[in-house]
Amino acid sequence: MYDRILLPVDGSDEAKRAAKRGIELARTFDAAVDIVHVVERRSRRLARTDDETAQLRERGERILAEIEALASAVDRPVTTTLTEGTPAVRIAERAADRDASLIVIGKQGLTGLGKRLLGGVTEGVLQRSDVPVLVVPAGDPSAEDAFDYARVLVPTDGSESAAAAAPHGATVARRYGATVHVLSVVDLQAAGGAFNAGGLEKSFVERLEAQGMTAVDELADEIEGRDADLELETDVVRTTSFDGVAAGIREYVAEHDVDIVVMGSHGRSNLRRQLLGSVTATVLRTVDIPILVVTRSESAAAVEETSE
């Protein structure tokens, strides 16, 4: 499934950690590695002399060389690209040009602002990418080489976007011998309204949970159909948090020591004009483990990996 992995790097520690995780995935999946560094157009405009312009490019070459050495150390075929422009645009273009099957990027790099959803570049890549994007948080620097995916969580709301995540969750779990957790979260706050003082009828909540279990069973069947040997755990949980479904996912991640979340970019209730579904956006902002975001175009691609 992942035969070419694109690693955008900007010289930040977070980008380097993400690149290391991407290289580990490339080793595991026997994939080629493409590394790209974009000299921002703004920085290029600020360069007042030819020497300053040369320094920007030299810095980019050093950044690329460092990550290239890491990939070469595990015998991965490597291509490096130094380009100029708007980073998110150039990264998405490079992924398309190289037919990348996965982008691995840090949650927030040098140009990201803490008050934003994510680093500005990461947010832009998520908006533009037609291939899955693995967003890697900063994490613990002392544990940055301990890449293990023993527990994979695939949340579902029954949407096509959630279904698109199934083959990716199954693939990661198969390669790492992981357990796949399939989860549906019943958002009681949304069901009852923020000012519902009387509570919800028990029968109504039970219907919501039954719908959630149907979605869970359908996705579990899809995953099991791809690999009957995978260990599966299914659950439906309730949440009353104002963070809604994302809070239920966050609590489940903590309680079950989940290593990676694989999820669609949008859910049933999200508008096409939105950058990301509100659930996915909140999970990316608040859950500090790797999140693999699968675009809705993946559902039409029907990606298969039956022989591996």
Side-chain angles (χ1 to χ4, degrees):
M1 178 175 280
Y2 307 126
D3 55 12
R4 182 171 295 278
I5 297 176
L6 180 68
L7 308 178
V9 290
D10 63 2
S12 65
D13 289 340
E14 190 162 48
K16 183 177 178 180
R17 292 187 190 113
K20 285 184 175 181
R21 193 172 286 268
I23 290 166
E24 164 59 20
L25 284 167
R27 184 189 66 78
T28 301
F29 284 92
D30 194 25
V33 174
D34 277 302
I35 311 167
V36 60
H37 175 77
V38 183
V39 177
E40 288 192 81
R41 183 176 288 112
R42 179 178 56 185
S43 299
R44 178 68 176 80
R45 287 199 302 264
L46 290 174
R48 298 182 179 278
T49 66
D50 289 343
D51 283 345
E52 289 179 347
T53 299
Q55 288 172 12
L56 288 174
R57 295 190 65 85
E58 288 169 4
R59 176 181 178 275
E61 294 287 3
R62 289 195 300 272
I63 292 169
L64 290 170
E66 180 184 18
I67 306 304
E68 181 181 15
L70 295 175
S72 298
V74 294
D75 198 27
R76 291 297 86 215
V78 184
T79 300
T80 63
T81 301
L82 178 64
T83 186
E84 297 180 6
T86 303
V89 173
R90 292 288 180 260
I91 291 165
E93 289 175 346
R94 186 62 179 167
D97 291 345
R98 297 293 291 172
D99 197 22
S101 47
L102 180 69
I103 299 171
V104 181
I105 192 168
K107 193 172 185 177
Q108 185 170 310
L110 290 177
T111 60
L113 300 176
K115 66 182 179 181
R116 301 190 65 171
L117 160 64
L118 299 167
V121 174
T122 303
E123 185 176 353
V125 170
L126 285 163
Q127 181 180 15
R128 292 170 174 83
S129 176
D130 289 327
V131 301
V133 179
L134 178 62
V135 180
V136 179
D140 179 2
S142 67
E144 63 183 22
D145 295 320
F147 303 141
D148 182 29
Y149 302 111
R151 289 161 293 277
V152 178
L153 174 61
V154 186
T156 181
D157 61 358
S159 65
E160 288 184 5
S161 183
H168 295 270
T171 295
V172 172
R174 178 163 56 247
R175 287 303 183 97
Y176 286 90
T179 299
V180 181
H181 295 250
V182 183
L183 175 71
S184 178
V185 179
V186 175
D187 183 356
L188 297 181
Q189 201 58 254
F195 302 103
N196 178 26
L200 296 171
E201 292 288 340
K202 180 180 179 183
S203 59
F204 178 59
V205 174
E206 289 174 347
R207 284 199 303 273
L208 292 176
E209 290 179 331
Q211 291 171 2
M213 184 53 69
T214 297
V216 163
D217 289 342
E218 288 175 352
L219 194 64
D221 287 345
E222 170 71 14
I223 292 171
E224 189 173 30
R226 294 177 178 275
D227 190 337
D229 294 328
L230 285 177
E231 183 177 347
L232 284 166
E233 293 189 13
T234 61
D235 204 355
V236 176
V237 300
R238 303 177 185 179
T239 182
T240 57
S241 170
F242 284 104
D243 273 347
V245 172
I249 293 173
R250 183 170 64 245
E251 291 163 6
Y252 191 94
V253 164
E255 291 171 4
H256 293 81
D257 199 20
V258 170
D259 299 299
I260 183 172
V261 178
V262 183
M263 65 189 305
S265 57
H266 293 73
R268 284 191 179 278
S269 61
N270 298 120
L271 302 176
R272 291 182 181 274
R273 64 182 173 81
Q274 289 181 298
L275 164 60
L276 291 171
S278 58
V279 173
T280 305
T282 305
V283 169
L284 282 163
R285 190 179 69 246
T286 61
V287 176
D288 285 327
I289 63 172
I291 313 292
L292 177 55
V293 180
V294 181
T295 62
R296 281 185 291 192
S297 62
E298 284 286 302
S299 60
V303 182
E304 298 283 350
E305 193 191 53
T306 57
S307 61
E308 297 180 298

